[in-house]
Amino acid sequence: MKNEDLATTRFESATRHIPSIGLLGLALGSVLASATLMALGRKQAALFVGQWAPTVVAFAIYNKIVKTFSAPYDEEQRVKHGDHASVIKSADELRRQENLRPLS
């Protein structure tokens, strides 16, 4: 990612391929496993496993934000990924966009 350190860039590059539905399924599985353990009378294990769900959901949200709002590296990547311009634009980029707009 642009404007990030090497560790963050590597982490986000590795995790962007994880589908969000898989993470949500993992969270739901944690809730179901916790309920099953509680029904079997294993309260400590149920509480332990049940606490995984919010952590996995938080990771899923972070992952979705990174995939959706990460700034492209360059113009070629921006065009390749559906014209999602970065939220923070340089003055040069703003001028270039103004020059490319058709006159009404």
Side-chain angles (χ1 to χ4, degrees):
M1 299 292 119
K2 189 162 68 170
N3 302 325
E4 295 288 350
D5 63 348
L6 184 60
T8 304
T9 301
R10 286 185 178 168
F11 179 77
E12 290 176 357
S13 294
T15 59
R16 78 171 45 194
H17 303 293
I18 299 172
S20 298
I21 193 70
L23 292 170
L24 294 176
L26 187 61
L28 182 60
S30 168
V31 171
L32 293 174
S34 177
T36 302
L37 288 168
M38 188 64 83
L40 295 173
R42 299 184 59 197
K43 184 177 179 180
Q44 291 288 354
L47 292 174
F48 176 70
V49 172
Q51 290 179 1
W52 297 349
T55 304
V56 173
V57 169
F59 181 69
I61 291 169
Y62 171 80
N63 193 33
K64 189 68 168 180
I65 289 170
V66 167
K67 287 193 286 190
T68 305
F69 295 109
S70 62
Y73 290 109
D74 54 23
E75 183 67 14
E76 180 182 332
Q77 186 188 38
R78 184 181 67 76
V79 171
K80 180 180 173 187
H81 292 291
D83 199 29
H84 295 116
S86 78
V87 177
I88 302 172
K89 298 177 182 176
S90 67
D92 290 336
E93 185 176 351
L94 289 172
R95 278 193 293 276
R96 187 172 46 246
Q97 284 182 338
E98 287 298 320
N99 291 335
L100 294 176
R101 286 188 183 164
L103 298 174
S104 305

